[in-house]
């Protein structure tokens, strides 16, 4: 079983990653700024105080772990701009001092930079509100940074265009940079199945040094 440090464990995606990992028998250290906000209890769960934007804090919680998962968000558009790419840089900076013993990093990404069937990118669609474009490009900036990193084992996992709480089916499709759509052109994944895919990646390590995406 893996030892996992999880940033963002109280969020929509992070809480489902936490439950999925615990249900499979992994040991999870949930890294939160306010431990009172995490009500989950489990024999394999440890709660630690930390800050994803502080490289020294990342180093402290990452030491001895097998995988660090970042499921942090920023709330609104400006919040994502202030959080997502800075968190990516902080995570990498925090893992580098651990050298060859550094755990792998798996970060929750965005769908905006994925290629659509018409050859454009999701964020090129007309009529997208500014806050959503800010969120998409924040994730795009983080991905650009990860792709410049060759001394930390990273993976970036983009969801489908639509992700929301729903059913855990345990099935999903994967691609690298192309948006996954169904027969009617819709791109969707439940947060539960996204968590399944992320924990599968923890266990299987199929996408080190690259971005991949999942869809129903």
């Amino acid at each position: 079983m893996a030892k996992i440090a999880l940033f963002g464990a109280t969020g929509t995606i992070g809480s489902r990653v936490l439950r999925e990992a615990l249900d499979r028998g992994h040991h999870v250290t949930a890294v939160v700024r306010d431990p009172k906000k995490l009500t989950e209890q489990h024999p394999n769960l440890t709660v630690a105080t930390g800050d994803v934007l502080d490289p020294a804090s990342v180093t402290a919680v990452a030491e001895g772990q097998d995988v660090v998962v970042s499921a942090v968000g920023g709330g609104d558009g400006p919040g994502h701009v202030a959080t997502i790419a800075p968190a990516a840089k902080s995570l990498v900076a925090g893992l580098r001092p651990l050298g060859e013993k550094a755990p792998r990093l798996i970060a929750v990404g965005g769908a905006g930079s994925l290629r659509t069937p018409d050859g454009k990118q999701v964020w090129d669609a007309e009529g997208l509100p500014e806050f959503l474009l800010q969120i998409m490009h924040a994730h795009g900036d983080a991905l650009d940074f990860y792709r410049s990193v060759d001394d930390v084992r990273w993976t970036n996992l983009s969801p489908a265009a639509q992700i929301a709480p729903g059913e855990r089916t345990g099935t999903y499709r994967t691609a690298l940079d192309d948006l996954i759509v169904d027969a009617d052109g819709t791109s969707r994944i439940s947060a539960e199945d996204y968590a399944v895919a992320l924990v599968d990646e923890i266990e299987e390590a199929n996408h080190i040094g690259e971005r991949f995406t999942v869809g129903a």
Side-chain angles (χ1 to χ4, degrees):
M1 293 295 101
K3 292 183 289 183
I4 305 163
L6 172 61
F7 289 90
T10 59
T12 299
I13 294 177
S15 62
R16 285 158 176 82
V17 171
L18 175 63
R19 172 46 51 192
E20 182 71 23
L22 292 173
D23 284 349
R24 297 200 204 180
H26 297 296
H27 295 265
V28 181
T29 298
V31 188
V32 293
R33 283 179 293 182
D34 183 2
K36 295 178 182 177
K37 291 185 177 181
L38 186 63
T39 58
E40 185 87 20
Q41 293 184 338
H42 192 281
N44 286 354
L45 173 63
T46 301
V47 180
T49 302
D51 183 358
V52 72
L53 297 178
D54 178 5
S57 181
V58 173
T59 303
V61 298
E63 190 165 11
Q65 305 289 339
D66 298 309
V67 180
V68 170
V69 175
S70 174
V72 298
D76 59 7
H80 274 74
V81 172
T83 302
I84 302 302
K89 295 175 182 178
S90 175
L91 286 159
V92 169
L95 291 175
R96 278 178 170 147
L98 300 177
E100 294 182 356
K101 294 183 178 179
R104 290 161 47 215
L105 170 62
I106 301 177
V108 171
S113 60
L114 292 168
R115 286 191 298 261
T116 56
D118 63 4
K120 297 182 180 181
Q121 290 174 288
V122 173
W123 57 38
D124 293 325
E126 293 185 4
L128 294 175
E130 180 61 26
F131 82 90
L132 187 56
L133 287 169
Q134 289 178 323
I135 291 172
M136 289 179 174
H137 284 284
H139 282 292
D141 291 343
L143 178 59
D144 286 344
F145 168 72
Y146 284 128
R147 284 175 165 163
S148 74
V149 174
D150 60 9
D151 58 344
V152 169
R153 295 173 297 160
W154 62 270
T155 300
N156 190 261
L157 176 52
S158 289
Q162 299 176 23
I163 181 170
E167 179 185 1
R168 182 195 185 280
T169 69
T171 62
Y172 57 87
R173 293 177 290 156
T174 66
L176 293 181
D177 294 314
D178 293 304
L179 185 72
I180 297 172
V181 298
D182 58 21
D184 65 4
T186 302
S187 175
R188 63 167 69 91
I189 189 79
S190 70
E192 286 75 8
D193 281 340
Y194 179 94
V196 171
L198 193 149
V199 178
D200 283 349
E201 179 63 23
I202 290 174
E203 295 176 351
E204 299 166 9
N206 289 324
H207 298 281
I208 294 176
E210 63 186 14
R211 183 261 295 275
F212 76 108
T213 184
V214 293

